[in-house]
Amino acid sequence: MIKSIVFPGQGSQKVGMGKEFFDNFSIAKDVFLDVDDSLSQNLSRLIFEGPLDELTLTQNTQPTIMTVSLAILEVLKKEFHFDIKTVNFCAGHSLGEYTALAAT
């Protein structure tokens, strides 16, 4: 069986993305909080509350989409025993290529 995973790129952002993961999985919450701390900015608030015009700025969109993607990946790994090493192809659209690299 061939397995692949593809990460989204800029343009897939929306206010509130990833909130369900943040609220329901501690590993996802850790990813969001680690990014907030690393960037010395409350990126999580921007992701969850907007405003949309600020979220869609490239300098915000790219780290927010990558954060959400990596948080979801960590949930898949921890809660569903997903092993990235079993994936034959790991790719991403535009910015998602960086997430794919970070995931492997």
Side-chain angles (χ1 to χ4, degrees):
M1 174 196 271
I2 295 175
K3 293 183 190 178
S4 63
I5 188 166
V6 180
F7 294 97
Q10 192 165 340
S12 61
Q13 71 278 355
K14 72 173 200 160
V15 173
M17 62 182 175
K19 182 75 164 100
E20 297 87 3
F21 288 90
F22 179 90
D23 289 341
N24 292 296
F25 298 99
S26 61
I27 190 72
K29 189 174 200 172
D30 291 344
V31 171
F32 283 99
L33 297 177
D34 285 347
V35 170
D36 287 350
D37 187 51
S38 295
L39 297 179
S40 299
Q41 129 185 39
N42 195 337
L43 200 62
S44 296
R45 181 179 299 168
L46 177 60
I47 294 169
F48 302 145
E49 299 174 13
L52 182 59
D53 60 332
E54 190 175 332
L55 179 63
T56 57
L57 296 173
T58 298
Q59 67 264 27
N60 294 327
T61 298
Q62 293 187 354
T64 60
I65 292 172
M66 188 169 184
T67 299
V68 173
S69 295
L70 291 175
I72 293 170
L73 178 62
E74 290 304 313
V75 170
L76 291 173
K77 287 176 173 179
K78 182 175 182 188
E79 300 294 328
F80 300 96
H81 311 291
F82 176 73
D83 184 359
I84 194 78
K85 293 177 184 168
T86 66
V87 172
N88 301 97
F89 302 99
C90 192
H93 174 260
S94 187
L95 158 76
E97 292 178 35
Y98 291 99
T99 311
L101 287 170
T104 54

